[in-house]
Coordinates of all heavy atoms in Angstrom, one line a residue:
Chain W
F179 N 11.6 -4.0 -13.7 CA 10.4 -4.0 -14.4 C 10.2 -2.9 -15.4 O 10.5 -1.8 -15.1 CB 9.2 -3.9 -13.4 CG 7.9 -4.3 -13.8 CD1 7.6 -5.4 -14.5 CD2 6.9 -3.4 -13.7 CE1 6.3 -5.7 -15.0 CE2 5.6 -3.7 -14.2 CZ 5.3 -4.8 -14.7
M180 N 9.9 -3.3 -16.7 CA 9.7 -2.2 -17.7 C 11.0 -1.5 -18.1 O 10.8 -0.4 -18.8 CB 8.6 -1.2 -17.3 CG 7.2 -1.9 -17.1 SD 5.9 -0.6 -17.0 CE 6.3 0.3 -15.6
H181 N 12.1 -2.0 -17.7 CA 13.4 -1.3 -18.2 C 13.6 -1.7 -19.7 O 14.4 -1.1 -20.4 CB 14.5 -1.6 -17.3 CG 15.3 -2.7 -17.7 ND1 14.9 -4.0 -17.7 CD2 16.7 -2.8 -18.3 CE1 15.9 -4.8 -18.0 NE2 16.9 -4.1 -18.4
R182 N 13.1 -2.9 -20.1 CA 13.2 -3.3 -21.5 C 12.1 -4.1 -21.9 O 11.2 -4.5 -21.0 CB 14.5 -4.1 -21.6 CG 14.5 -5.6 -20.9 CD 15.7 -6.4 -21.4 NE 15.8 -7.6 -20.5 CZ 15.2 -8.8 -20.9 NH1 14.6 -8.9 -22.0 NH2 15.4 -9.9 -20.1
P183 N 11.8 -4.4 -23.2 CA 10.8 -5.4 -23.6 C 11.0 -6.7 -23.0 O 12.2 -7.1 -22.8 CB 10.8 -5.4 -25.1 CG 11.7 -4.1 -25.5 CD 12.6 -3.9 -24.4
L184 N 10.0 -7.5 -22.7 CA 10.1 -8.8 -22.2 C 9.3 -9.7 -23.1 O 8.2 -9.3 -23.6 CB 9.6 -9.0 -20.9 CG 10.4 -8.7 -19.6 CD1 9.7 -9.1 -18.3 CD2 11.8 -9.2 -19.7
D185 N 9.7 -11.0 -23.3 CA 8.8 -12.0 -23.8 C 8.0 -12.7 -22.7 O 8.5 -13.6 -22.1 CB 9.6 -13.1 -24.7 CG 8.7 -14.1 -25.2 OD1 7.5 -14.0 -25.0 OD2 9.3 -14.9 -26.0
V186 N 6.9 -12.1 -22.3 CA 6.1 -12.6 -21.1 C 5.8 -14.0 -21.2 O 5.7 -14.7 -20.2 CB 5.0 -11.6 -20.9 CG1 4.1 -12.1 -19.8 CG2 5.4 -10.2 -20.6
S187 N 5.7 -14.5 -22.5 CA 5.2 -15.9 -22.6 C 6.3 -16.9 -22.0 O 5.9 -18.0 -21.8 CB 5.0 -16.2 -24.1 OG 6.2 -16.3 -24.8
K188 N 7.5 -16.4 -21.8 CA 8.5 -17.2 -21.1 C 8.2 -17.4 -19.6 O 8.9 -18.3 -19.0 CB 9.8 -16.7 -21.4 CG 10.4 -16.8 -22.8 CD 11.7 -16.3 -22.9 CE 12.3 -16.4 -24.4 NZ 13.6 -15.7 -24.5
Y189 N 7.4 -16.6 -19.1 CA 7.2 -16.6 -17.6 C 5.8 -17.3 -17.2 O 4.8 -17.1 -17.9 CB 7.2 -15.1 -17.2 CG 8.5 -14.4 -17.3 CD1 8.9 -13.9 -18.6 CD2 9.4 -14.3 -16.3 CE1 10.0 -13.2 -18.8 CE2 10.6 -13.7 -16.5 CZ 10.9 -13.2 -17.7 OH 12.1 -12.4 -17.9
G190 N 5.9 -17.9 -16.0 CA 4.7 -18.2 -15.4 C 4.1 -17.0 -14.6 O 3.0 -16.8 -14.6
M191 N 5.1 -16.3 -14.0 CA 4.6 -15.1 -13.2 C 5.8 -14.1 -13.2 O 6.9 -14.5 -13.0 CB 4.3 -15.7 -11.9 CG 3.9 -14.6 -10.8 SD 3.6 -15.3 -9.2 CE 3.6 -13.8 -8.2
I192 N 5.4 -12.9 -13.1 CA 6.4 -11.8 -12.9 C 5.8 -10.9 -11.8 O 4.6 -10.5 -11.9 CB 6.5 -10.9 -14.1 CG1 7.1 -11.8 -15.3 CG2 7.4 -9.8 -13.9 CD1 7.0 -11.1 -16.7
Y193 N 6.5 -10.6 -10.8 CA 6.1 -9.6 -9.8 C 7.1 -8.4 -9.6 O 8.2 -8.7 -9.8 CB 5.7 -10.2 -8.5 CG 6.8 -10.9 -7.7 CD1 7.5 -10.2 -6.8 CD2 7.1 -12.3 -7.8 CE1 8.6 -10.7 -6.0 CE2 8.1 -12.9 -7.1 CZ 8.8 -12.1 -6.2 OH 9.9 -12.7 -5.5
A194 N 6.6 -7.3 -9.3 CA 7.4 -6.2 -9.1 C 6.8 -5.2 -8.2 O 5.6 -4.8 -8.4 CB 7.7 -5.5 -10.5
C195 N 7.4 -4.8 -7.1 CA 7.0 -3.6 -6.4 C 7.2 -2.4 -7.2 O 8.2 -2.4 -8.1 CB 7.7 -3.5 -5.1 SG 9.5 -3.4 -5.2
A196 N 6.4 -1.4 -7.0 CA 6.4 -0.2 -8.0 C 7.5 0.8 -7.8 O 7.8 1.5 -8.8 CB 5.0 0.4 -8.0
Q197 N 8.1 0.8 -6.6 CA 8.9 2.1 -6.3 C 10.3 2.2 -6.9 O 11.1 3.0 -6.5 CB 9.0 2.1 -4.7 CG 9.9 1.1 -4.1 CD 9.0 -0.1 -3.6 OE1 7.8 -0.3 -4.1 NE2 9.5 -0.8 -2.6
K198 N 10.6 1.4 -8.0 CA 11.7 1.7 -8.7 C 11.3 2.2 -10.1 O 11.7 3.4 -10.4 CB 12.6 0.4 -8.8 CG 13.3 0.0 -7.6 CD 12.5 -0.9 -6.7 CE 13.4 -1.7 -5.7 NZ 14.1 -1.0 -4.7
N199 N 10.7 1.4 -10.9 CA 10.4 1.8 -12.4 C 9.0 2.1 -12.5 O 8.6 2.5 -13.7 CB 10.9 0.8 -13.3 CG 12.3 1.0 -13.8 OD1 12.8 2.1 -13.7 ND2 12.9 -0.1 -14.3
A200 N 8.1 1.9 -11.6 CA 6.6 1.9 -12.0 C 5.9 2.9 -11.2 O 4.7 3.1 -11.5 CB 6.1 0.5 -11.8
G201 N 6.4 3.6 -10.2 CA 5.6 4.4 -9.5 C 6.1 4.6 -8.0 O 7.3 4.4 -7.7
P202 N 5.2 5.0 -7.1 CA 5.7 5.2 -5.7 C 5.6 3.9 -4.9 O 5.1 2.9 -5.5 CB 4.6 6.2 -5.1 CG 3.3 5.9 -5.9 CD 3.8 5.4 -7.4
A203 N 6.0 3.8 -3.8 CA 5.9 2.7 -2.9 C 4.5 2.4 -2.5 O 3.7 3.3 -2.4 CB 6.8 2.8 -1.5
G204 N 4.2 1.1 -2.3 CA 2.8 0.8 -1.9 C 2.0 0.0 -2.8 O 0.8 -0.3 -2.6
L205 N 2.6 -0.3 -4.0 CA 1.9 -1.0 -5.1 C 2.8 -2.1 -5.5 O 3.9 -1.9 -5.8 CB 1.5 -0.1 -6.2 CG 1.0 -0.8 -7.5 CD1 -0.3 -1.4 -7.3 CD2 0.9 0.2 -8.6
T206 N 2.3 -3.4 -5.7 CA 3.0 -4.5 -6.2 C 2.2 -4.9 -7.4 O 1.0 -5.2 -7.3 CB 3.1 -5.6 -5.2 OG1 3.6 -5.1 -4.0 CG2 4.1 -6.7 -5.8
V207 N 2.9 -4.9 -8.6 CA 2.2 -5.4 -9.9 C 2.6 -6.9 -10.1 O 3.7 -7.3 -9.8 CB 2.7 -4.6 -11.1 CG1 2.1 -5.2 -12.4 CG2 2.4 -3.1 -11.0
V208 N 1.5 -7.7 -10.3 CA 1.7 -9.2 -10.5 C 1.1 -9.5 -11.9 O 0.0 -9.1 -12.2 CB 1.0 -10.1 -9.4 CG1 0.9 -11.5 -9.9 CG2 1.6 -9.8 -8.1
V209 N 2.0 -10.1 -12.7 CA 1.5 -10.6 -14.0 C 1.6 -12.2 -14.0 O 2.7 -12.7 -13.7 CB 2.4 -10.1 -15.2 CG1 2.0 -10.6 -16.5 CG2 2.5 -8.5 -15.1
M210 N 0.5 -12.8 -14.1 CA 0.5 -14.2 -13.8 C -0.3 -15.0 -14.9 O -1.4 -14.6 -15.3 CB -0.3 -14.4 -12.5 CG -0.2 -15.8 -12.0 SD -0.4 -15.7 -10.1 CE 0.0 -17.3 -9.7
R211 N 0.2 -16.1 -15.4 CA -0.4 -17.0 -16.3 C -1.7 -17.5 -15.7 O -1.7 -18.0 -14.6 CB 0.5 -18.1 -16.7 CG 0.6 -18.4 -18.2 CD 1.6 -19.4 -18.5 NE 1.4 -20.7 -17.8 CZ 2.3 -21.6 -17.6 NH1 3.6 -21.4 -17.9 NH2 2.0 -22.7 -16.9
K212 N -2.8 -17.3 -16.4 CA -4.1 -17.6 -15.8 C -4.3 -19.1 -15.3 O -5.0 -19.3 -14.3 CB -5.3 -17.2 -16.8 CG -5.4 -15.7 -16.8 CD -6.5 -15.4 -17.8 CE -6.7 -13.8 -17.9 NZ -7.6 -13.3 -19.0
D213 N -3.7 -20.0 -16.0 CA -3.8 -21.3 -15.6 C -3.3 -21.6 -14.2 O -3.6 -22.5 -13.4 CB -3.2 -22.4 -16.5 CG -1.8 -22.2 -16.8 OD1 -1.3 -21.1 -17.1 OD2 -1.0 -23.1 -16.5
L214 N -2.2 -20.8 -13.8 CA -1.6 -21.0 -12.5 C -2.5 -20.4 -11.4 O -2.3 -20.9 -10.3 CB -0.2 -20.2 -12.5 CG 0.8 -20.8 -13.4 CD1 2.1 -19.9 -13.4 CD2 1.2 -22.2 -13.1
L215 N -3.4 -19.6 -11.7 CA -4.4 -19.1 -10.6 C -5.1 -20.2 -10.2 O -5.6 -20.2 -9.0 CB -5.3 -18.1 -11.3 CG -4.7 -16.8 -11.7 CD1 -5.7 -16.0 -12.6 CD2 -4.3 -16.0 -10.5
E216 N -5.4 -21.3 -10.9 CA -6.2 -22.5 -10.5 C -5.5 -23.2 -9.3 O -6.2 -24.0 -8.7 CB -6.5 -23.3 -11.7 CG -7.4 -22.7 -12.8 CD -8.6 -21.9 -12.1 OE1 -9.3 -22.5 -11.4 OE2 -8.8 -20.7 -12.5
L217 N -4.2 -23.0 -9.2 CA -3.5 -23.8 -8.1 C -3.8 -23.2 -6.7 O -3.6 -24.0 -5.8 CB -2.0 -23.7 -8.4 CG -1.6 -24.4 -9.7 CD1 -0.1 -24.2 -10.0 CD2 -2.0 -25.8 -9.8
S218 N -4.3 -22.0 -6.6 CA -4.5 -21.4 -5.3 C -5.6 -22.1 -4.6 O -6.8 -22.2 -5.0 CB -4.9 -19.9 -5.5 OG -3.9 -19.2 -6.2
S219 N -5.3 -22.5 -3.3 CA -6.3 -23.3 -2.4 C -7.2 -22.2 -1.8 O -6.8 -21.2 -1.4 CB -5.5 -24.0 -1.4 OG -6.4 -24.2 -0.3
D220 N -8.5 -22.7 -1.8 CA -9.5 -21.8 -1.0 C -9.2 -21.7 0.4 O -9.8 -20.8 1.1 CB -10.9 -22.5 -1.2 CG -11.4 -22.5 -2.7 OD1 -10.8 -21.6 -3.5 OD2 -12.2 -23.3 -3.0
D221 N -8.4 -22.5 0.9 CA -8.0 -22.4 2.4 C -7.1 -21.2 2.7 O -6.8 -20.9 3.8 CB -7.4 -23.8 2.9 CG -8.4 -24.9 2.8 OD1 -9.6 -24.6 2.8 OD2 -7.9 -26.0 2.7
L222 N -6.5 -20.7 1.7 CA -5.5 -19.6 1.9 C -6.3 -18.4 2.5 O -7.4 -18.1 2.2 CB -4.9 -19.2 0.6 CG -3.8 -20.1 -0.1 CD1 -3.5 -19.6 -1.4 CD2 -2.6 -20.1 0.9
P223 N -5.4 -17.6 3.3 CA -6.0 -16.3 3.7 C -6.4 -15.5 2.4 O -5.7 -15.5 1.5 CB -4.8 -15.6 4.4 CG -4.0 -16.8 4.9 CD -4.2 -17.9 3.9
G224 N -7.6 -14.9 2.5 CA -8.1 -14.3 1.3 C -7.2 -13.4 0.7 O -7.0 -13.3 -0.5
Y225 N -6.5 -12.5 1.5 CA -5.7 -11.5 0.8 C -4.4 -12.1 0.1 O -3.9 -11.6 -0.8 CB -5.2 -10.4 1.8 CG -4.6 -9.3 1.1 CD1 -5.4 -8.2 0.6 CD2 -3.3 -9.2 0.8 CE1 -5.0 -7.2 -0.2 CE2 -2.7 -8.1 0.1 CZ -3.6 -7.2 -0.4 OH -3.0 -6.1 -1.2
L226 N -4.1 -13.3 0.5 CA -2.9 -14.0 0.0 C -3.2 -14.9 -1.1 O -2.4 -15.6 -1.6 CB -2.2 -14.8 1.1 CG -1.8 -14.0 2.4 CD1 -0.9 -15.0 3.3 CD2 -1.2 -12.7 2.1
N227 N -4.4 -14.9 -1.7 CA -4.9 -15.8 -2.7 C -5.0 -15.0 -4.0 O -5.8 -14.2 -4.2 CB -6.3 -16.4 -2.3 CG -6.8 -17.4 -3.2 OD1 -6.6 -17.3 -4.4 ND2 -7.4 -18.5 -2.7
Y228 N -4.1 -15.4 -5.0 CA -4.1 -14.6 -6.3 C -5.4 -14.8 -6.9 O -5.8 -13.9 -7.6 CB -3.0 -15.2 -7.1 CG -1.5 -14.9 -6.6 CD1 -0.7 -16.0 -6.4 CD2 -1.1 -13.7 -6.5 CE1 0.6 -15.8 -6.0 CE2 0.2 -13.4 -6.1 CZ 1.0 -14.4 -5.8 OH 2.3 -14.2 -5.4
K229 N -6.0 -16.0 -6.8 CA -7.3 -16.2 -7.6 C -8.3 -15.3 -7.1 O -9.2 -14.7 -7.9 CB -7.7 -17.7 -7.4 CG -8.9 -18.1 -8.3 CD -9.1 -19.6 -8.3 CE -9.4 -20.2 -7.0 NZ -9.7 -21.6 -7.1

Side-chain angles (χ1 to χ4, degrees):
Chain W
F179 190 54
M180 299 196 294
H181 92 290
R182 67 168 173 97
L184 275 191
D185 181 355
V186 172
S187 71
K188 291 183 177 172
Y189 295 81
M191 174 184 170
I192 301 166
Y193 64 88
C195 58
Q197 67 265 22
K198 284 93 158 64
N199 267 343
L205 169 64
T206 310
V207 178
V208 169
V209 179
M210 192 158 188
R211 225 172 62 203
K212 285 179 179 169
D213 62 301
L214 295 177
L215 293 169
E216 298 310 313
L217 300 176
S218 301
S219 162
D220 293 339
D221 296 335
L222 284 172
Y225 194 85
L226 306 191
N227 187 320
Y228 293 121
K229 189 165 58 175

